[in-house]
Amino acid sequence: MQISKRSYMSPLAVVALVIGLQLGSALFLLPSELAPYGSLSALSWCLSGLGALSLSFIFIALSKCDKALGGPSVYVEKAFGLRAGFYVAWTYWVISWISAIPYLLLSVKALDQILPWPLSLLQEMMLIGVILSSITHLNLKGAVIAGRGEIVFTLLKIIPWICIPVILMLEYGFPKWVLPSAISTPLGLNKAMVITFWGFVGFEATTTITHCLRHPARVLPWALVLGTLCVICIYFFNTWVLMGVMPLKALMQDPNPYGTLFEKMWGPGGRILCALLATITCIGTLNSWILTCGQVISVAAKSNVLPQCFGSQSKIVHKNFGVWLTFYVMLITTWVIQALNFEKTLALLVEFCCAVFIGVYFVCLVSLLWLVSKKRIRLAFWMWPVCGISFLFCVGSLWDISGILWLGAGVIVASAWLMEFVSTLILPYKLFSIFPLKEKKISGSPVGKDRDLG
C-alpha cells in the first residue's frame, strides 16, 4: 500500500479513521450486556474512555521514536529489538483481522433483516465474500484513497448517532437516572468498564499511518484526542438515553433494543431503518480495520520485523501480498465462525480480542518506560500520572481475563514461534526468512535526549 511522495492523508481523514476504528459494533452488541448496570453503564463509558485517552497519550509519546514509521511493533522494536518487534507485529496483525470479523458478521446479519427473504447459509457466505472483497479492493488503491472513503463512512455513522438520542428524548421524554438494585456502584462501574472498553479498541492503529501524514507530529496527537473524545460523547449520550427510556428487564432480553424502539415509533419500517444503520456502521468500521491491517503488515515489513514478502519490497511476489493474505484468512475464518453458529461465538470473540489488545497496550507502555529509562525519550512532568493511569487500567483489565482467553492468546504467540521456525528452516531464505535477525536502523530521524512530549 504505497503512496506517492506528494500524496498524504488529510487531517480530517485521520480524525475520521480514529473515530471509525472505535465507533461500531459496541452500540449494537453491548446494550443488553450493560442493562444490569443501569445508568452506571453510561458513566462506565467515561471511565473506559479515560483509559483509552491515557493510552492515546502513551502512543503519542511513542510516536516520537520515529517520524517515518509508527505502530506497536515499531515502538517495541525500538525498546527491545527485532525479535520482540516481530512477536508484537505478528500478534497485532492477527488480532486486528480477527477484530474485524464481528463487524463483518454483524453487517451480514443486519442485511438479512433488510432483505425481503431469509438468507441461507450459502447465501450468507457469498454475501460475506462480496462485502469483504469490495472493501479490500478499495484499500488496495492505497491508504490515501481509503482514507477519503473513511471520511464518508464516518459521517454516515456519526450523524445518525447524534440524532438518535435527541429523537428518543423527544418521543419518550427526558431519561431518568436508573441505578441497579443488586449491584453496588463501585462494583457495577468496574464490571461495566471492562465491557465498554471494547468500544475503544483500535485507537492506537492510527499510529501505523504515520508515513501517510505530511506532519505526523502535529496531526496525530490532536486527531487521537479529538476523535476519542467524540467517541466518548456518542457512547455516553446514547447509552444514558437508552437506559433511561427502556425498562432494564426488557433491555436485558432484547438483542436489538434500537430496532424495538424504532418499530414502536415508525412501525415495521423502523426496524428496517435500524438494520440499515447497523449495516452502514459495521461496514464503515470494517473499512477502518482492513485499512489498518494493510498498514500494520506494510510497516512491519519495512521495519524488518516481518518477512519482506508481506510488504511491497519483494519483486518475487505480488506487491500487495500481505493485504491479500489478510483477505483470505479473514474470509476463511469468518466462514468457519458463521458455519459453527454466529450467535454463540461472537460474544467470546469480542472478549478475546479486547483482552489481547490490552496486552499489546501494556507491552507498549512497558516499552515507553524502558525508552525513558535509557534516556531515549523524555516525558513532560504531567505524563507520569498519565502513565500511572494507563498502568492501573491495563493491569485491572488483565486481572479479570479468564483462563480460556489466556489460552487463546497463547495460541497466537505459538503461531508466531511457528512462523519463526518455518521461515528460518524450511522456506527460501531471501523471501521469507526473519531470523537470524540483524539489528538495523528503521528509517527516520534519530531519537535524541531533547525529544520531549509537550
Side-chain angles (χ1 to χ4, degrees):
M1 297 181 70
Q2 296 290 312
I3 57 173
S4 64
K5 292 182 179 179
R6 297 185 179 181
S7 183
Y8 298 96
M9 288 182 69
S10 68
L12 183 59
V14 181
V15 176
L17 180 61
V18 174
I19 296 173
L21 284 165
Q22 300 178 74
L23 189 64
S25 65
L27 291 163
F28 301 98
L29 288 176
L30 299 187
S32 58
E33 297 287 331
L34 294 172
Y37 310 106
S39 298
L40 289 178
S41 56
L43 284 179
S44 71
W45 284 114
C46 297
L47 293 177
S48 56
L50 177 63
L53 272 176
S54 66
L55 288 167
S56 296
F57 284 111
I58 299 302
F59 280 92
I60 291 171
L62 285 168
S63 68
K64 307 289 182 178
C65 289
D66 197 310
K67 290 184 177 180
L69 297 174
S73 63
V74 174
Y75 307 144
V76 173
E77 186 275 337
K78 287 286 188 179
F80 302 114
L82 284 171
R83 179 170 268 104
F86 161 71
Y87 276 90
V88 169
W90 181 267
T91 301
Y92 192 68
W93 171 62
V94 171
I95 203 61
S96 291
W97 60 258
I98 290 178
S99 297
I101 292 175
Y103 300 103
L104 185 56
L105 292 172
L106 280 172
S107 61
V108 172
K109 182 182 178 182
L111 285 171
D112 192 15
Q113 298 176 10
I114 297 173
L115 297 174
W117 68 88
L119 294 174
S120 64
L121 180 60
L122 178 60
Q123 289 173 329
E124 288 178 346
M125 289 184 171
M126 292 175 61
L127 187 57
I128 286 171
V130 170
I131 294 174
L132 187 56
S133 60
S134 300
I135 298 178
T136 299
H137 277 88
L138 173 63
N139 281 272
L140 286 173
K141 296 182 180 296
V144 177
I145 300 299
R148 294 170 186 168
E150 187 61 36
I151 295 176
V152 177
F153 280 126
T154 301
L155 288 175
L156 290 175
K157 289 196 296 184
I158 285 181
I159 294 174
W161 290 109
I162 293 175
C163 297
I164 284 174
V166 176
I167 293 172
L168 292 178
M169 284 192 291
L170 291 175
E171 180 70 20
Y172 296 98
F174 194 79
K176 299 178 182 178
W177 188 262
V178 183
L179 294 175
S181 56
I183 304 175
S184 64
T185 298
L187 181 62
L189 278 174
N190 182 61
K191 290 188 175 181
M193 182 180 67
V194 175
I195 297 173
T196 53
F197 188 70
W198 167 251
F200 298 100
V201 162
F203 65 90
E204 80 295 334
T206 317
T207 58
T208 62
I209 61 168
T210 303
H211 59 291
C212 301
L213 308 180
R214 187 183 297 274
H215 303 291
R218 285 186 291 180
V219 173
L220 200 58
W222 69 264
L224 275 169
V225 174
L226 180 61
T228 303
L229 285 174
C230 180
V231 172
I232 292 172
C233 292
I234 291 175
Y235 280 143
F236 173 81
F237 284 109
N238 279 275
T239 303
W240 171 54
V241 172
L242 182 63
M243 296 294 171
V245 302
M246 191 170 184
L248 296 184
K249 290 185 178 179
L251 188 58
M252 292 180 197
Q253 302 172 356
D254 194 341
N256 186 15
Y258 288 105
T260 301
L261 293 173
F262 287 4
E263 189 174 23
K264 288 182 179 179
M265 290 188 289
W266 300 309
R271 189 170 287 273
I272 294 176
L273 178 63
C274 182
L276 180 61
L277 175 61
T279 303
I280 294 172
T281 301
C282 291
I283 289 180
T285 308
L286 182 63
N287 178 70
S288 303
W289 276 111
I290 292 178
L291 170 61
T292 297
C293 287
Q295 292 302 310
V296 165
I297 54 183
S298 176
V299 167
K302 290 177 182 177
S303 57
N304 300 310
V305 296
L306 279 182
Q308 294 300 301
C309 65
F310 278 77
S312 58
Q313 294 84 1
S314 175
K315 297 180 180 179
I316 303 176
V317 295
H318 193 276
K319 67 177 182 178
N320 292 311
F321 171 81
V323 179
W324 282 114
L325 179 62
T326 301
F327 167 78
Y328 286 116
V329 294
M330 274 189 63
L331 182 64
I332 294 171
T333 307
T334 307
W335 279 349
V336 171
I337 292 175
Q338 186 74 356
L340 289 177
N341 191 331
F342 156 69
E343 296 290 347
K344 293 182 179 179
T345 57
L346 186 59
L348 183 61
L349 184 65
V350 167
E351 188 179 356
F352 169 68
C353 293
C354 192
V356 177
F357 269 110
I358 293 175
V360 173
Y361 299 156
F362 183 75
V363 173
C364 290
L365 173 60
V366 173
S367 299
L368 174 63
L369 297 177
W370 180 261
L371 290 171
V372 171
S373 70
K374 295 298 181 180
K375 298 182 179 180
R376 296 176 62 189
I377 292 180
R378 281 173 49 190
L379 294 182
F381 177 77
W382 60 269
M383 271 295 296
W384 289 106
V386 173
C387 291
I389 293 173
S390 299
F391 179 82
L392 292 175
F393 182 82
C394 290
V395 172
S397 300
L398 292 173
W399 187 263
D400 292 330
I401 294 175
S402 61
I404 189 172
L405 298 183
W406 283 111
L407 179 62
V411 170
I412 295 181
V413 175
S415 69
W417 176 86
L418 182 62
M419 178 68 181
E420 173 185 349
F421 175 78
V422 171
S423 66
T424 304
L425 299 180
I426 301 175
L427 298 175
Y429 179 84
K430 290 185 179 179
L431 180 59
F432 286 94
S433 183
I434 312 170
F435 303 108
L437 289 170
K438 244 180 167 181
E439 294 291 339
K440 294 182 181 179
K441 275 190 175 180
I442 302 176
S443 60
S445 59
V447 182
K449 294 182 181 180
D450 59 339
R451 189 80 51 128
D452 193 1
L453 180 63

